[in-house]
Amino acid sequence: MTGTATILRGDARSLPLPDASVDLVCTSPPYWGLRDYRDGGESMAGQIGNEPTPWEYVDNLIDCTREWLRVLKPTGSLFVNIADAYANTATPEREGSSDGATSRAARPGRRTSAGTGIRPKSLYGLPWRYALRCIDELGLILRRDQIWHKISALPESVKDRSATRHEYLFHFVTQERYYAAVDLIRQPSGADHHRNVAPKVTHVPGQPAVLFDRSLHHPLGRLPGSVWAIAGEPLVVPDHIAHARCCAGTAMPGCTDELDHHAAFPTELPRRIVAGWSPSGICTGCGEGRRPVADRALTTDRGGRKANVRGNFREGVPVYEDSTSLGRERVVSITGYVCACPEPSAPTRPAIILDPFGGTGTTALVAKALGRHGISVDRSADYCRLAQWRTTDPDQLAKAMRVEKPPKQLDGQGSIFDELGISA
Ligand SMILES: C[S@@+](CC[C@H](N)C(=O)[O-])C[C@H]1O[C@@H](n2cnc3c(N)ncnc32)[C@H](O)[C@@H]1O
Ligand SMILES: [Zn+2]
Ligand SMILES: [Zn+2]
């Protein structure tokens, strides 16, 4: 089942949402001093990222975060992707931006480190300045300083330091017990170094995962690590959207005024976050997010063809049925979902995923692809239009769902997703 997406034009500092209504916030603020985001073809008023000093930038981000915490449920998580910048007294130094893109919209000469007290060529340390204030002033628990390793970062021209290939992705929570389902985003274990260990480990929910040596690995795969290597995904915006304002939807020869966006998330980034830290459904009976449960069972049949022997545990210790068989395997699979209800039979409603700097709508698109309700907020009407297209375009949705691109629809033909029994 796909979910839904709503695109709202609004400010990340004052969201049109009720208190404690959102299950997960996943967002990426603008870099400081790099771009000029547009609205109606003009520099966007009230945008974050073009403050005169980095300190005002962090002040604004703290104000934003306070507002996100207002709308976040106590059991929710907040993921903030944030990049650093280098101090420079003369010209703007792009070297802090790991996407390396020189945007048409960037404004050379606008931001310098004069008066900041930070020496030229030094990193400002913006991600950590922000994170520490979240801990100290907002009382947040910083659960993880996740590193996004940008494997397709563009080359840089610097000659006296290493190239920037990472950004921070801070995971904050407000209380010690919060919703997490990391079992759903475990990764296949690498080559197993034990003899007789052959079966591939799978981590597909609902599918049994098979492993021989129960001491070394979790049968559903490895816990995702603190470094995520994720390549960028170029976003090709069709002319009817890119040239909607400048050329009434049909690109005129030589037009260079089209709408584009250089800072979209790759879909894999929000995909892991949404799958791992938001429930696939909220119970309408008790209001809790349903949590996956992993069931353990043994099989004496290495191929898993017939002999799944369930429930063979004595005081928590697995009991093997037949030690002379080909192999002794522990099988673990996600078998169901639980909440506070003794019998989780009440219907569920989708979890709500918010991106308050929604841009092209990647987070909302992924939330929709994973059966959640995505809300993408951006101050720019132009980017809201882009996000509106993206979250309703069947090709974009197919990409986010990791399914084949649907064939082109003929007039009057139903949606390909309808035929699959899912609504797009
Ligand atoms: C780094 S981009 C986010 C890109 C997004 N993650 C995506 O995948 O497309 C930052 C976005 O913040 C928006 N923005 C800047 N200031 C804002 C504000 N005060 N309130 C809401 N959105 C703002 C910009 O228009 C821009 O689209
Ligand atoms: Zn145009
Ligand atoms: Zn319940």
Side-chain angles (χ1 to χ4, degrees), residues 242-243 246-247 250-252 255 257-258:
H243 291 271
C246 45
C247 312
T250 307
M252 312 276 264
C255 173
D257 206 20
E258 78 272 18

Side-chain angles (χ1 to χ4, degrees), residues 3-346:
T4 44
T6 302
I7 312 302
L8 298 173
R9 187 178 179 199
D11 195 287
R13 285 163 287 203
S14 62
L15 298 165
L17 298 171
D19 295 356
S21 57
V22 161
D23 294 278
L24 171 72
V25 175
C26 171
T27 198
S28 174
Y31 292 148
W32 178 69
L34 180 68
R35 301 183 190 289
D36 182 22
Y37 285 102
R38 320 294 286 173
D39 187 20
E42 309 283 320
S43 173
M44 182 169 75
Q47 67 180 285
I48 290 189
N50 69 358
E51 297 79 356
T53 67
W55 320 135
E56 287 158 87
Y57 169 67
V58 178
D59 285 347
N60 276 338
L61 290 184
I62 293 293
D63 285 348
C64 288
T65 309
R66 206 173 270 117
E67 172 68 350
W68 307 339
L69 295 174
R70 179 185 69 75
V71 302
L72 187 67
K73 290 182 186 173
T75 50
S77 281
L78 165 60
F79 282 81
V80 184
N81 163 227
I82 181 167
D84 214 334
Y86 278 93
N88 194 320
T89 48
T91 53
E93 199 175 352
R94 288 282 150 57
E95 60 181 19
S97 74
S98 52
D99 68 356
T102 304
S103 159
R104 228 176 342 102
R107 287 165 302 173
R110 188 71 193 270
R111 299 283 166 264
T112 77
S113 59
T116 61
I118 306 294
R119 296 185 61 186
K121 295 185 88 166
S122 174
L123 281 170
Y124 283 107
L126 292 172
W128 278 104
R129 289 177 191 273
Y130 166 71
L132 293 174
R133 286 186 62 183
C134 286
I135 297 171
D136 295 344
E137 295 173 30
L138 304 181
L140 289 179
I141 297 171
L142 175 57
R143 204 57 191 121
R144 176 82 272 162
D145 54 339
Q146 188 75 39
I147 301 297
W148 170 15
H149 171 198
K150 302 180 89 168
I151 44 183
S152 52
L154 293 175
E156 294 174 58
S157 55
V158 288
K159 296 198 169 52
D160 56 358
R161 62 160 174 79
S162 65
T164 308
R165 303 250 167 77
H166 76 285
E167 283 181 19
Y168 285 94
L169 182 60
F170 292 118
H171 176 194
F172 298 106
V173 291
T174 60
Q175 56 183 34
E176 288 169 37
R177 284 179 69 85
Y178 56 93
Y179 182 89
V182 286
D183 276 350
L184 298 182
I185 55 164
R186 285 181 181 272
Q187 297 167 330
S189 300
D192 210 310
H193 43 273
H194 278 245
R195 69 184 173 83
N196 279 344
V197 179
K200 228 175 101 188
V201 176
T202 125
H203 66 298
V204 181
Q207 302 281 316
V210 181
L211 190 71
F212 270 65
D213 188 333
R214 65 186 185 283
S215 63
L216 283 181
H217 297 296
H218 190 288
L220 291 173
R222 292 194 311 162
L223 203 59
S226 55
V227 177
W228 290 352
I230 300 178
E233 277 174 37
L235 174 65
V236 181
V237 183
D239 280 356
H240 73 278
I241 300 296
H243 291 271
R245 192 182 35 75
C246 45
C247 312
T250 307
M252 312 276 264
C255 173
T256 55
D257 206 20
E258 78 272 18
L259 179 66
D260 52 16
H261 200 297
H262 294 281
F265 277 147
T267 52
E268 180 61 16
L269 192 79
R271 199 190 64 75
R272 289 185 195 184
I273 297 169
V274 170
W277 286 276
S278 78
S280 55
I282 310 285
C283 175
T284 53
C286 64
E288 274 192 6
R290 292 248 168 92
R291 301 176 303 279
V293 275
D295 192 19
R296 285 141 201 275
L298 296 174
T299 176
T300 53
D301 179 352
R302 183 192 279 187
R305 274 172 281 118
K306 45 186 186 295
N308 263 7
V309 185
R310 299 201 150 256
N312 272 0
F313 287 80
R314 217 167 278 147
E315 291 170 4
V317 180
V319 180
Y320 294 108
E321 285 288 280
D322 178 7
S323 58
T324 62
S325 66
L326 272 174
R328 301 178 302 183
E329 301 165 343
R330 184 170 65 144
V331 179
V332 176
S333 58
I334 305 292
T335 53
Y337 288 81
V338 293
C339 54
C341 300
E343 277 294 316
S345 52

Side-chain angles (χ1 to χ4, degrees), residues 354-413:
L354 167 70
D355 188 342
F357 289 116
T360 64
T362 318
T363 305
L365 171 71
V366 168
K368 178 174 177 174
L370 295 181
R372 277 70 163 174
H373 179 65
I375 300 180
S376 188
V377 175
D378 202 287
R379 237 188 117 99
S380 161
D382 289 338
Y383 301 132
C384 286
R385 195 171 65 248
L386 187 50
Q388 190 66 48
W389 157 74
R390 198 159 176 229
T391 51
T392 46
D393 179 71
D395 290 357
Q396 293 291 322
L397 194 56
K399 212 167 147 187
M401 292 170 78
R402 307 280 189 267
V403 297
E404 290 272 307
K405 198 169 153 173
K408 219 172 163 38
Q409 256 174 255
L410 301 172
D411 283 348
Q413 193 184 17

